Amino acid sequence: MKKFLILILICYVQNTFSQYKEPIIKVDPDAVINKSEEIPTVDTTPEFPGGPEALHNDFLKKNYKMPNVSNLKGKVYVTFMVEKDGTLSNIKVLRDIGYGTGEEAIRILKLSPKWIPAKKDGKPVRWQYSFPINVTGNEPPSAAKLNNFPQNSSVIPVIEEENQVYNTAGIEVRPEFPGGEEALNKYLKDNYKNPQKDLKGKVYATFIIEKDGSLSDIKILRDLGYGTGTEAIRVLKKSPKWTPGKQNDKVVRVLYSIPIIVN
Protein backbone atom coordinates (compact mmCIF):
# COMPACT_ATOMS: atom_id res chain seq x y z
CA MET A 1 0.00 0.00 0.00
CA LYS A 2 2.82 2.37 0.90
CA LYS A 3 4.64 1.60 -2.37
CA PHE A 4 1.44 2.29 -4.30
CA LEU A 5 0.96 5.68 -2.57
CA ILE A 6 4.60 6.61 -3.18
CA LEU A 7 4.23 5.74 -6.87
CA ILE A 8 1.15 7.98 -7.15
CA LEU A 9 3.02 10.83 -5.41
CA ILE A 10 6.01 10.49 -7.78
CA CYS A 11 3.71 10.58 -10.84
CA TYR A 12 1.94 13.67 -9.47
CA VAL A 13 5.23 15.50 -8.79
CA GLN A 14 6.60 14.63 -12.24
CA ASN A 15 3.41 15.82 -13.90
CA THR A 16 3.38 19.08 -11.94
CA PHE A 17 7.07 19.73 -12.65
CA SER A 18 6.69 19.10 -16.38
CA GLN A 19 3.72 21.47 -16.56
CA TYR A 20 5.69 24.15 -14.71
CA LYS A 21 8.78 23.83 -16.88
CA GLU A 22 7.03 23.62 -20.23
CA PRO A 23 6.73 27.15 -21.70
CA ILE A 24 3.61 26.61 -23.80
CA ILE A 25 0.87 29.18 -24.33
CA LYS A 26 -1.88 28.24 -21.90
CA VAL A 27 -3.84 31.49 -21.87
CA ASP A 28 -3.89 32.75 -25.44
CA PRO A 29 -6.83 34.15 -27.45
CA ASP A 30 -5.95 31.76 -30.28
CA ALA A 31 -5.80 28.69 -27.99
CA VAL A 32 -2.40 27.59 -29.24
CA ILE A 33 -1.60 24.02 -28.30
CA ASN A 34 1.58 22.05 -28.94
CA LYS A 35 0.68 19.22 -31.28
CA SER A 36 1.47 17.28 -34.43
CA GLU A 37 -0.85 16.35 -37.26
CA GLU A 38 0.74 12.92 -37.53
CA ILE A 39 0.34 11.94 -33.86
CA PRO A 40 -1.94 13.34 -31.13
CA THR A 41 0.36 12.61 -28.18
CA VAL A 42 4.01 11.87 -27.46
CA ASP A 43 5.90 10.29 -24.59
CA THR A 44 8.28 13.25 -24.24
CA THR A 45 7.92 16.73 -25.74
CA PRO A 46 10.80 18.57 -27.45
CA GLU A 47 13.23 20.47 -25.25
CA PHE A 48 15.78 23.21 -25.83
CA PRO A 49 19.26 21.99 -24.78
CA GLY A 50 19.48 22.89 -21.12
CA GLY A 51 15.72 23.20 -20.67
CA PRO A 52 13.24 26.12 -20.64
CA GLU A 53 15.43 28.24 -18.35
CA ALA A 54 18.32 28.02 -20.81
CA LEU A 55 15.95 28.87 -23.66
CA HIS A 56 14.49 31.99 -22.07
CA ASN A 57 17.24 33.23 -19.76
CA ASP A 58 20.28 32.42 -21.85
CA PHE A 59 19.42 32.08 -25.52
CA LEU A 60 16.48 34.49 -25.99
CA LYS A 61 17.41 37.07 -23.37
CA LYS A 62 20.99 37.37 -24.65
CA ASN A 63 20.29 37.26 -28.39
CA TYR A 64 16.89 38.90 -28.96
CA LYS A 65 17.43 42.56 -29.91
CA MET A 66 14.73 44.68 -28.32
CA PRO A 67 13.39 47.54 -30.51
CA ASN A 68 14.26 51.14 -29.67
CA VAL A 69 10.70 52.19 -28.87
CA SER A 70 9.65 53.94 -25.66
CA ASN A 71 6.91 52.36 -23.53
CA LEU A 72 6.70 49.27 -25.74
CA LYS A 73 5.86 46.10 -23.85
CA GLY A 74 4.15 42.87 -24.80
CA LYS A 75 4.59 39.35 -26.11
CA VAL A 76 5.44 37.83 -29.48
CA TYR A 77 3.78 34.46 -30.02
CA VAL A 78 5.74 32.01 -32.19
CA THR A 79 5.21 28.49 -33.45
CA PHE A 80 7.50 26.07 -35.27
CA MET A 81 8.10 22.41 -36.01
CA VAL A 82 10.84 20.58 -34.12
CA GLU A 83 12.07 17.99 -36.61
CA LYS A 84 13.32 14.49 -35.80
CA ASP A 85 16.94 15.68 -35.92
CA GLY A 86 16.20 18.61 -33.55
CA THR A 87 16.26 21.36 -36.19
CA LEU A 88 13.46 23.94 -36.37
CA SER A 89 11.31 24.36 -39.47
CA ASN A 90 8.14 26.20 -40.53
CA ILE A 91 8.84 29.05 -38.09
CA LYS A 92 5.86 31.42 -37.93
CA VAL A 93 4.75 34.41 -35.86
CA LEU A 94 1.17 34.07 -34.65
CA ARG A 95 1.08 37.58 -33.21
CA ASP A 96 3.58 40.36 -32.62
CA ILE A 97 3.49 43.97 -31.38
CA GLY A 98 4.93 45.67 -34.43
CA TYR A 99 8.27 47.44 -34.85
CA GLY A 100 9.89 44.34 -36.32
CA THR A 101 9.36 42.25 -33.17
CA GLY A 102 8.06 39.32 -35.20
CA GLU A 103 10.89 39.43 -37.73
CA GLU A 104 13.42 39.49 -34.88
CA ALA A 105 11.80 36.42 -33.32
CA ILE A 106 12.14 34.52 -36.60
CA ARG A 107 15.78 35.61 -36.94
CA ILE A 108 16.61 34.33 -33.46
CA LEU A 109 14.85 30.99 -33.88
CA LYS A 110 16.70 30.37 -37.15
CA LEU A 111 19.94 30.65 -35.14
CA SER A 112 18.75 28.22 -32.46
CA PRO A 113 20.91 25.18 -31.67
CA LYS A 114 19.32 21.79 -32.27
CA TRP A 115 16.63 20.79 -29.80
CA ILE A 116 16.11 17.41 -28.18
CA PRO A 117 13.26 16.08 -30.35
CA ALA A 118 9.97 14.66 -29.11
CA LYS A 119 9.78 10.91 -28.73
CA LYS A 120 7.03 8.37 -29.24
CA ASP A 121 7.66 4.73 -28.32
CA GLY A 122 11.35 5.55 -27.96
CA LYS A 123 11.68 7.02 -31.47
CA PRO A 124 12.16 10.72 -32.46
CA VAL A 125 9.07 12.30 -34.03
CA ARG A 126 8.17 15.71 -35.47
CA TRP A 127 6.29 17.96 -33.04
CA GLN A 128 4.82 21.45 -33.34
CA TYR A 129 5.88 23.76 -30.54
CA SER A 130 4.62 27.21 -29.48
CA PHE A 131 5.59 29.75 -26.83
CA PRO A 132 5.60 33.53 -26.13
CA ILE A 133 8.66 35.80 -26.14
CA ASN A 134 8.51 38.72 -23.71
CA VAL A 135 9.45 42.01 -25.37
CA THR A 136 10.30 45.33 -23.69
CA GLY A 137 11.30 48.30 -25.82
CA ASN A 138 14.47 50.28 -25.19
CA GLU A 139 14.69 54.04 -25.01
CA PRO A 140 15.64 55.41 -28.46
CA PRO A 141 19.37 56.27 -28.66
CA SER A 142 18.61 59.93 -29.39
CA ALA A 143 16.51 60.25 -26.24
CA ALA A 144 19.19 58.59 -24.17
CA LYS A 145 21.79 61.08 -25.37
CA LEU A 146 19.53 64.04 -24.67
CA ASN A 147 18.98 62.81 -21.13
CA ASN A 148 22.73 63.03 -20.54
CA PHE A 149 23.03 66.80 -21.09
CA PRO A 150 24.65 68.53 -18.08
CA GLN A 151 22.42 70.76 -15.97
CA ASN A 152 24.29 73.93 -16.93
CA SER A 153 24.08 73.19 -20.64
CA SER A 154 22.64 75.95 -22.83
CA VAL A 155 21.03 73.32 -25.05
CA ILE A 156 17.36 72.68 -24.31
CA PRO A 157 16.76 68.96 -24.69
CA VAL A 158 13.58 67.83 -26.43
CA ILE A 159 13.09 64.25 -25.30
CA GLU A 160 9.89 63.46 -27.16
CA GLU A 161 10.29 63.31 -30.92
CA GLU A 162 7.55 64.91 -32.99
CA ASN A 163 6.66 61.69 -34.81
CA GLN A 164 7.23 59.24 -31.96
CA VAL A 165 4.74 56.37 -31.90
CA TYR A 166 3.48 55.18 -28.52
CA ASN A 167 2.11 51.80 -27.57
CA THR A 168 -1.25 51.58 -25.79
CA ALA A 169 0.49 49.99 -22.80
CA GLY A 170 1.31 52.73 -20.31
CA ILE A 171 -0.07 55.66 -22.28
CA GLU A 172 -1.98 58.22 -20.20
CA VAL A 173 -5.03 58.58 -22.46
CA ARG A 174 -5.78 55.77 -24.90
CA PRO A 175 -7.21 56.59 -28.32
CA GLU A 176 -10.88 55.78 -28.80
CA PHE A 177 -13.25 55.10 -31.67
CA PRO A 178 -16.11 57.65 -31.70
CA GLY A 179 -18.75 56.20 -29.40
CA GLY A 180 -16.40 53.76 -27.70
CA GLU A 181 -15.70 50.05 -28.08
CA GLU A 182 -19.34 49.07 -28.65
CA ALA A 183 -19.58 51.56 -31.51
CA LEU A 184 -16.36 50.18 -32.99
CA ASN A 185 -17.67 46.62 -32.89
CA LYS A 186 -20.92 47.75 -34.52
CA TYR A 187 -19.01 49.62 -37.22
CA LEU A 188 -16.94 46.55 -38.05
CA LYS A 189 -19.98 44.25 -37.99
CA ASP A 190 -22.01 46.53 -40.27
CA ASN A 191 -19.25 47.24 -42.78
CA TYR A 192 -17.09 44.10 -42.95
CA LYS A 193 -18.20 41.86 -45.82
CA ASN A 194 -17.21 38.23 -45.44
CA PRO A 195 -15.55 37.31 -48.76
CA GLN A 196 -16.15 33.58 -48.25
CA LYS A 197 -19.47 31.98 -47.28
CA ASP A 198 -19.50 30.06 -43.98
CA LEU A 199 -15.97 31.29 -43.12
CA LYS A 200 -15.50 32.00 -39.41
CA GLY A 201 -12.59 33.20 -37.31
CA LYS A 202 -10.62 36.36 -36.53
CA VAL A 203 -8.48 38.75 -38.53
CA TYR A 204 -5.81 40.55 -36.48
CA ALA A 205 -4.98 44.07 -37.63
CA THR A 206 -2.65 46.80 -36.42
CA PHE A 207 -2.50 50.49 -37.33
CA ILE A 208 -1.32 53.89 -36.13
CA ILE A 209 -3.84 56.44 -34.89
CA GLU A 210 -2.43 59.78 -35.97
CA LYS A 211 -2.68 63.02 -34.03
CA ASP A 212 -5.68 64.10 -36.12
CA GLY A 213 -7.47 60.80 -35.42
CA SER A 214 -6.96 59.29 -38.86
CA LEU A 215 -5.57 55.77 -39.33
CA SER A 216 -2.28 55.05 -41.08
CA ASP A 217 0.13 52.15 -41.63
CA ILE A 218 -2.69 49.60 -41.54
CA LYS A 219 -1.27 46.08 -41.49
CA ILE A 220 -2.66 42.58 -41.13
CA LEU A 221 -0.87 40.40 -38.58
CA ARG A 222 -2.90 37.32 -39.47
CA ASP A 223 -5.98 36.58 -41.54
CA LEU A 224 -8.05 33.59 -42.66
CA GLY A 225 -7.18 33.78 -46.32
CA TYR A 226 -9.77 34.26 -49.09
CA GLY A 227 -9.24 38.04 -49.02
CA THR A 228 -10.24 38.47 -45.36
CA GLY A 229 -7.16 40.61 -44.68
CA THR A 230 -7.76 42.81 -47.73
CA GLU A 231 -11.36 43.37 -46.62
CA ALA A 232 -10.19 44.35 -43.13
CA ILE A 233 -7.84 46.97 -44.60
CA ARG A 234 -10.68 48.34 -46.76
CA VAL A 235 -12.98 48.74 -43.77
CA LEU A 236 -10.32 50.35 -41.58
CA LYS A 237 -9.42 52.84 -44.32
CA LYS A 238 -13.07 53.97 -44.29
CA SER A 239 -13.10 54.37 -40.51
CA PRO A 240 -14.21 57.74 -39.11
CA LYS A 241 -11.55 59.66 -37.23
CA TRP A 242 -10.76 58.45 -33.74
CA THR A 243 -10.17 60.51 -30.62
CA PRO A 244 -6.34 60.46 -30.53
CA GLY A 245 -4.24 59.34 -27.59
CA LYS A 246 -2.49 61.71 -25.20
CA GLN A 247 0.76 61.65 -23.28
CA ASN A 248 1.83 64.47 -20.94
CA ASP A 249 -1.31 66.39 -22.02
CA LYS A 250 -0.13 66.33 -25.64
CA VAL A 251 -1.80 64.58 -28.56
CA VAL A 252 0.46 61.75 -29.77
CA ARG A 253 0.57 58.98 -32.38
CA VAL A 254 -0.42 55.56 -31.00
CA LEU A 255 0.00 52.02 -32.29
CA TYR A 256 -3.26 50.11 -31.92
CA SER A 257 -4.23 46.47 -32.54
CA ILE A 258 -7.66 44.87 -32.86
CA PRO A 259 -9.19 41.51 -33.76
CA ILE A 260 -11.98 41.59 -36.36
CA ILE A 261 -14.53 38.79 -36.01
CA VAL A 262 -15.42 37.13 -39.31
CA ASN A 263 -18.64 35.14 -39.50
Side-chain angles (χ1 to χ4, degrees):
M1 183 67 179
K2 288 183 178 179
K3 290 183 178 180
F4 179 73
L5 291 173
I6 291 172
L7 181 60
I8 293 176
L9 180 61
I10 291 173
C11 292
Y12 174 79
V13 171
Q14 287 179 337
N15 183 57
T16 304
F17 181 75
S18 62
Q19 288 180 359
Y20 171 75
K21 298 293 285 184
E22 184 63 46
I24 62 175
I25 304 173
K26 293 184 177 179
V27 183
D28 180 62
D30 306 312
V32 178
I33 303 174
N34 293 329
K35 61 182 180 179
S36 174
E37 293 180 357
E38 292 87 355
I39 48 176
T41 60
V42 289
D43 298 328
T44 59
T45 55
E47 185 176 62
F48 183 84
E53 290 183 6
L55 169 63
H56 290 276
N57 296 332
D58 294 332
F59 180 70
L60 293 175
K61 200 170 185 179
K62 292 179 180 178
N63 293 284
Y64 190 97
K65 296 179 181 178
M66 300 296 176
N68 292 324
V69 181
S70 300
N71 302 317
L72 183 66
K73 190 175 183 181
K75 294 183 178 181
V76 176
Y77 292 90
V78 295
T79 182
F80 49 85
M81 187 70 71
V82 181
E83 299 291 344
K84 295 179 183 180
D85 63 354
T87 58
L88 308 187
S89 67
N90 199 27
I91 302 170
K92 294 180 181 179
V93 173
L94 300 177
R95 189 177 66 189
D96 63 18
I97 52 176
Y99 301 101
T101 51
E103 290 84 349
E104 176 62 10
I106 291 175
R107 182 189 74 83
I108 286 299
L109 290 173
K110 284 182 177 180
L111 297 174
S112 170
K114 287 187 177 182
W115 288 46
I116 301 169
K119 287 186 178 182
K120 179 72 173 179
D121 298 327
K123 296 180 180 180
V125 292
R126 304 173 74 229
W127 189 256
Q128 186 177 335
Y129 200 88
S130 308
F131 67 87
I133 299 174
N134 293 317
V135 175
T136 303
N138 297 316
E139 283 294 319
S142 57
K145 290 179 182 179
L146 288 171
N147 278 323
N148 290 330
F149 275 115
Q151 293 183 354
N152 59 355
S153 173
S154 59
V155 179
I156 301 175
V158 180
I159 305 301
E160 294 184 5
E161 298 179 3
E162 184 67 22
N163 294 319
Q164 182 177 351
V165 179
Y166 288 79
N167 190 270
T168 52
I171 195 169
E172 292 177 355
V173 180
R174 291 166 57 95
E176 186 177 55
F177 184 86
E181 188 172 349
E182 289 186 8
L184 171 61
N185 293 333
K186 185 177 186 305
Y187 169 78
L188 295 173
K189 186 176 181 180
D190 293 344
N191 290 276
Y192 189 95
K193 298 178 181 178
N194 192 341
Q196 185 75 13
K197 187 178 179 181
D198 298 328
L199 187 65
K200 293 183 179 181
K202 292 181 180 180
V203 175
Y204 291 89
T206 183
F207 47 86
I208 293 175
I209 301 169
E210 299 290 345
K211 295 179 181 180
D212 64 354
S214 61
L215 307 187
S216 69
D217 197 26
I218 301 171
K219 294 179 180 178
I220 301 300
L221 299 179
R222 192 178 68 176
D223 62 18
L224 304 171
Y226 303 100
T228 50
T230 302
E231 175 61 11
I233 292 175
R234 183 192 70 82
V235 172
L236 289 171
K237 283 184 176 180
K238 291 179 59 180
S239 169
K241 288 189 175 182
W242 291 46
T243 302
K246 287 186 177 182
Q247 185 73 8
N248 298 326
D249 293 327
K250 293 182 179 180
V251 175
V252 293
R253 306 170 74 212
V254 179
L255 179 68
Y256 203 90
S257 301
I258 59 168
I260 299 175
I261 298 175
V262 178
N263 51 33

